[in-house]
Amino acid sequence: PPAAPRQRCMRSDTGVLKDPLVRRAVALSINRPQQLAKIMLGAGQVGNDNPFWSGFASSDRSTKQRTQNIQLAKALLAAAGASNLKFTLTTWNFLDHPDHAASIQAYARDAGITVNLEVMDGGKYYDSEPAGADYATTTPWLNRTASLTEYGARGVPNVYLTRCYMSTGDWNGSHYKNPEFDSVAKTYLGAAEVAAQQKATKRMAGLLLRDTPVITDYFISYVTASSSKVKNYVPEGISHVNLAKV
């Protein structure tokens, strides 16, 4: 079980998902335990819309888990004037992505939200659009209204924070820009004590639940194979094969 999140980014700067009330409504439509059981056959861990996997020493343990609440989702949509919300979720044909996207579509329907699916070839999803155009401003995985992208495991959440959530991040598919979040993230990155890191991750988790630029509904378990003849092999969740002590 590594920190390998699925990130469903929602554009927070423009379009129909700009309002945080709308993004929270979308997140509240998902039955996460059921989703994990059906899509991954339980091989993973329910996420709480932040990158703070439970295996990280720095992750705060007190943040309340977000659960499905269709009634609240509909109320938030009404408050935002978005009761007839429609948008397209873009992903690519990789592992659990098509089934994952279909589950999001089905759960959203229960809250009165229409989600259309765009499942691309991997080359197109991660290329500029059209080929040769400016990459940062055209590639689908960073610029669609909503996108579903896989991330490899890391030993600490730092790279997720700096590249996916901070205002200057080059993997910031939600285009999330929150000066308070940036400030707390910098405090976390400079903290030497685990207690100080946990204090910062708790604050960041709260901000992300409020703003919901990214839905992380689950982390996947990493599956590999070995043999009884192989000794001291430890698999790593980022697909490296480390033979140093084998």
Side-chain angles (χ1 to χ4, degrees):
R6 295 298 191 243
Q7 286 194 6
R8 180 168 143 221
C9 296
M10 296 179 286
R11 289 288 295 266
S12 62
D13 60 332
T14 187
V16 297
L17 299 174
K18 183 177 180 179
D19 191 326
L21 296 182
V22 172
R23 299 194 299 271
R24 275 159 47 196
V26 176
L28 286 165
S29 71
I30 304 169
N31 183 326
R32 295 160 195 250
Q34 183 187 70
Q35 180 191 54
L36 183 64
K38 290 190 173 185
I39 305 304
M40 296 299 297
L41 303 181
Q45 184 179 105
V46 168
N48 201 24
D49 299 338
N50 64 60
F52 305 121
W53 175 60
S54 64
F56 292 143
S58 61
S59 293
D60 172 70
R61 306 295 192 271
S62 65
T63 302
K64 186 178 179 180
Q65 173 65 48
R66 174 170 273 166
T67 59
Q68 185 184 51
N69 190 329
I70 298 298
Q71 183 177 357
L72 179 56
K74 289 181 176 179
L76 291 173
L77 291 171
S83 294
N84 296 313
L85 178 65
K86 298 179 181 180
F87 65 92
T88 297
L89 172 63
T90 303
T91 189
W92 68 289
N93 192 16
F94 175 74
L95 297 179
D96 56 307
H97 286 347
D99 288 338
H100 189 174
S103 77
I104 290 167
Q105 181 185 54
Y107 288 125
R109 191 180 298 121
D110 291 338
I113 302 168
T114 300
V115 179
N116 298 312
L117 302 183
E118 180 185 25
V119 181
M120 307 181 76
D121 172 81
K124 291 184 178 180
Y125 185 71
Y126 285 113
D127 196 2
S128 55
E129 190 179 56
D134 178 71
Y135 187 82
T137 58
T138 66
T139 182
W141 79 284
L142 295 177
N143 293 286
R144 286 290 200 267
T145 298
S147 58
L148 175 60
T149 304
E150 73 287 349
Y151 278 83
R154 299 296 193 276
V156 291
N158 301 28
V159 70
Y160 305 132
L161 296 176
T162 57
R163 304 193 72 175
C164 303
Y165 293 91
M166 293 179 72
S167 299
T168 55
D170 57 343
W171 294 344
N172 188 343
S174 65
H175 296 236
Y176 182 56
K177 296 185 186 302
N178 182 333
E180 182 181 2
F181 182 90
D182 291 349
S183 177
V184 179
K186 290 176 182 177
T187 298
Y188 161 83
L189 293 168
E193 302 283 340
V194 172
Q197 293 176 345
Q198 290 176 339
K199 182 178 179 180
T201 59
K202 180 177 182 177
R203 182 57 185 151
M204 286 187 284
L207 290 170
L208 292 177
L209 282 172
R210 183 194 71 186
D211 298 339
T212 317
V214 177
I215 293 175
T216 299
D217 38 21
Y218 61 77
F219 298 81
I220 68 164
S221 289
Y222 178 68
V223 180
T224 186
S226 186
S227 162
S228 60
K229 298 178 182 178
V230 177
K231 305 300 180 185
N232 300 320
Y233 169 57
V234 179
E236 298 183 8
I238 199 169
S239 303
H240 292 162
V241 179
N242 186 343
L243 302 178
K245 298 181 179 180
V246 174

